[in-house]
Coordinates of all heavy atoms in Angstrom, one line a residue:
T19 N -9.5 10.9 3.7 CA -8.5 10.2 2.9 C -7.7 9.3 3.8 O -7.4 8.1 3.5 CB -7.6 11.1 2.0 OG1 -8.5 11.9 1.2 CG2 -6.7 10.3 1.1
G20 N -7.2 9.9 4.9 CA -6.4 9.1 5.8 C -7.1 7.9 6.3 O -6.5 6.8 6.5
F21 N -8.4 8.0 6.7 CA -9.1 6.9 7.2 C -9.3 5.8 6.1 O -9.1 4.6 6.4 CB -10.5 7.3 7.7 CG -11.4 6.2 8.1 CD1 -11.3 5.7 9.4 CD2 -12.2 5.5 7.2 CE1 -12.1 4.7 9.9 CE2 -13.0 4.5 7.7 CZ -12.9 4.1 9.0
L22 N -9.6 6.2 4.9 CA -9.7 5.3 3.8 C -8.4 4.5 3.6 O -8.4 3.3 3.3 CB -10.2 6.0 2.5 CG -11.6 6.4 2.5 CD1 -11.9 7.3 1.3 CD2 -12.5 5.2 2.5
S23 N -7.3 5.2 3.6 CA -6.0 4.6 3.4 C -5.7 3.5 4.4 O -5.4 2.4 4.1 CB -4.9 5.6 3.4 OG -3.6 5.0 3.3
A24 N -6.0 3.9 5.7 CA -5.7 2.9 6.8 C -6.7 1.8 6.7 O -6.4 0.6 6.9 CB -5.8 3.6 8.2
A25 N -8.0 2.1 6.4 CA -9.0 1.0 6.3 C -8.7 0.1 5.2 O -8.9 -1.1 5.3 CB -10.4 1.7 6.2
T26 N -8.3 0.6 4.1 CA -8.0 -0.2 2.9 C -6.9 -1.2 3.2 O -6.9 -2.4 2.9 CB -7.6 0.6 1.7 OG1 -8.6 1.5 1.4 CG2 -7.2 -0.2 0.5
L27 N -5.8 -0.7 3.9 CA -4.7 -1.6 4.3 C -5.1 -2.6 5.3 O -4.7 -3.8 5.2 CB -3.5 -0.7 4.8 CG -2.7 0.0 3.7 CD1 -1.7 0.9 4.4 CD2 -1.9 -1.1 2.9
A28 N -5.9 -2.2 6.2 CA -6.4 -3.2 7.3 C -7.2 -4.3 6.6 O -7.1 -5.5 6.9 CB -7.2 -2.4 8.3
L29 N -8.2 -3.9 5.7 CA -9.0 -4.9 5.1 C -8.2 -5.8 4.2 O -8.5 -6.9 4.0 CB -10.1 -4.2 4.2 CG -11.2 -3.6 5.0 CD1 -12.1 -2.6 4.1 CD2 -12.1 -4.6 5.6
S30 N -7.1 -5.2 3.6 CA -6.3 -6.0 2.7 C -5.6 -7.2 3.3 O -5.2 -8.2 2.6 CB -5.2 -5.1 2.0 OG -4.2 -4.8 3.0
A31 N -5.5 -7.2 4.6 CA -4.9 -8.4 5.3 C -5.7 -9.6 5.1 O -5.2 -10.7 5.2 CB -4.7 -8.1 6.8
W32 N -7.0 -9.4 4.9 CA -7.9 -10.6 4.6 C -8.3 -10.7 3.2 O -9.1 -11.6 2.9 CB -9.1 -10.5 5.5 CG -8.8 -10.7 7.0 CD1 -8.8 -11.8 7.7 CD2 -8.3 -9.7 7.9 NE1 -8.4 -11.6 9.0 CE2 -8.1 -10.3 9.1 CE3 -8.0 -8.3 7.8 CZ2 -7.7 -9.6 10.3 CZ3 -7.6 -7.6 8.9 CH2 -7.4 -8.3 10.1
A33 N -7.8 -9.9 2.3 CA -8.2 -9.9 0.9 C -7.3 -10.8 0.1 O -6.1 -11.1 0.5 CB -8.1 -8.5 0.3
P34 N -7.7 -11.4 -1.0 CA -6.9 -12.2 -1.9 C -5.7 -11.4 -2.4 O -5.9 -10.3 -2.8 CB -7.9 -12.6 -3.0 CG -9.2 -12.4 -2.5 CD -9.1 -11.2 -1.5
S35 N -4.5 -12.1 -2.5 CA -3.4 -11.4 -3.0 C -3.5 -11.0 -4.4 O -2.8 -10.1 -4.9 CB -2.1 -12.3 -2.7 OG -2.3 -13.5 -3.4
T36 N -4.3 -11.7 -5.2 CA -4.4 -11.3 -6.6 C -5.1 -10.0 -6.8 O -5.0 -9.4 -7.9 CB -5.3 -12.4 -7.3 OG1 -6.5 -12.6 -6.6 CG2 -4.6 -13.7 -7.4
M37 N -5.6 -9.4 -5.8 CA -6.2 -8.0 -5.9 C -5.2 -6.9 -5.7 O -5.5 -5.8 -5.8 CB -7.3 -7.9 -4.9 CG -8.5 -8.8 -5.1 SD -9.7 -8.7 -3.7 CE -10.1 -7.0 -3.7
A38 N -3.9 -7.3 -5.4 CA -2.9 -6.3 -5.1 C -2.6 -5.4 -6.2 O -2.5 -5.8 -7.4 CB -1.6 -7.0 -4.6
A39 N -2.4 -4.1 -5.9 CA -1.8 -3.2 -6.8 C -0.6 -2.6 -6.2 O -0.5 -2.3 -5.0 CB -2.9 -2.1 -7.1
F40 N 0.5 -2.4 -7.0 CA 1.8 -2.0 -6.5 C 2.2 -0.7 -7.1 O 1.9 -0.4 -8.2 CB 2.8 -3.1 -6.9 CG 2.5 -4.4 -6.4 CD1 2.0 -5.4 -7.2 CD2 2.8 -4.8 -5.1 CE1 1.7 -6.7 -6.8 CE2 2.5 -6.1 -4.6 CZ 1.9 -7.0 -5.4
T41 N 2.9 0.1 -6.3 CA 3.5 1.3 -6.7 C 5.0 1.2 -6.6 O 5.5 0.8 -5.5 CB 3.0 2.5 -6.0 OG1 1.6 2.6 -6.1 CG2 3.6 3.8 -6.5
E42 N 5.7 1.5 -7.6 CA 7.2 1.3 -7.6 C 7.9 2.6 -7.4 O 7.5 3.7 -7.8 CB 7.6 0.7 -9.0 CG 6.9 -0.6 -9.3 CD 6.8 -0.8 -10.8 OE1 7.8 -0.5 -11.5 OE2 5.8 -1.4 -11.2
Y43 N 9.1 2.5 -6.7 CA 9.8 3.7 -6.4 C 11.3 3.5 -6.7 O 11.9 2.4 -6.3 CB 9.7 4.1 -4.9 CG 8.3 4.4 -4.5 CD1 7.4 3.4 -4.1 CD2 7.8 5.7 -4.6 CE1 6.1 3.7 -3.8 CE2 6.5 6.0 -4.3 CZ 5.6 5.0 -3.9 OH 4.3 5.3 -3.6
L44 N 11.9 4.4 -7.4 CA 13.4 4.4 -7.6 C 14.1 5.4 -6.7 O 15.3 5.5 -6.8 CB 13.6 4.7 -9.1 CG 13.0 3.7 -10.1 CD1 13.4 4.1 -11.5 CD2 13.4 2.3 -9.9
S45 N 13.4 6.1 -5.9 CA 13.9 7.0 -5.0 C 13.6 6.5 -3.5 O 12.5 6.3 -3.2 CB 13.3 8.4 -5.2 OG 13.6 9.2 -4.0
Y46 N 14.7 6.5 -2.7 CA 14.5 6.0 -1.3 C 13.6 7.0 -0.6 O 12.7 6.7 0.2 CB 15.9 5.9 -0.7 CG 15.8 5.5 0.8 CD1 14.9 4.6 1.3 CD2 16.7 6.1 1.7 CE1 14.9 4.2 2.6 CE2 16.8 5.7 3.0 CZ 15.9 4.8 3.5 OH 15.9 4.4 4.8
T47 N 13.8 8.3 -0.8 CA 13.1 9.3 -0.1 C 11.6 9.3 -0.5 O 10.7 9.4 0.4 CB 13.6 10.7 -0.5 OG1 15.0 10.8 0.0 CG2 12.8 11.8 0.2
D48 N 11.3 9.1 -1.8 CA 9.9 8.9 -2.2 C 9.2 7.7 -1.6 O 8.1 7.8 -1.2 CB 9.8 8.9 -3.7 CG 10.2 10.2 -4.4 OD1 10.2 11.2 -3.7 OD2 10.4 10.2 -5.6
W49 N 10.0 6.6 -1.5 CA 9.4 5.4 -0.9 C 9.1 5.7 0.6 O 8.1 5.3 1.1 CB 10.4 4.3 -1.0 CG 10.0 3.0 -0.4 CD1 9.2 2.0 -1.0 CD2 10.3 2.5 0.9 NE1 9.1 1.0 -0.1 CE2 9.7 1.2 1.0 CE3 11.0 3.0 2.0 CZ2 9.8 0.5 2.2 CZ3 11.1 2.3 3.1 CH2 10.5 1.0 3.2
Q50 N 10.1 6.3 1.3 CA 9.8 6.6 2.7 C 8.6 7.5 2.9 O 7.8 7.3 3.9 CB 11.1 7.3 3.3 CG 12.3 6.4 3.6 CD 13.4 7.2 4.2 OE1 13.9 8.2 3.7 NE2 13.8 6.7 5.4

């Protein structure tokens, strides 16, 4: 899972921004 997470983020640097999915946080600790 860790590799997939890093790989996804690395590939996303070259991906279209319209493909973005966002997760929202109202807690600073959860965001960190």
Side-chain angles (χ1 to χ4, degrees):
T19 302
F21 176 86
L22 284 174
S23 176
T26 300
L27 281 170
L29 285 168
S30 70
W32 289 268
S35 59
T36 52
M37 295 172 59
F40 303 98
T41 303
E42 304 153 37
Y43 298 89
L44 301 180
S45 162
Y46 178 41
T47 301
D48 290 346
W49 180 87
Q50 284 183 304

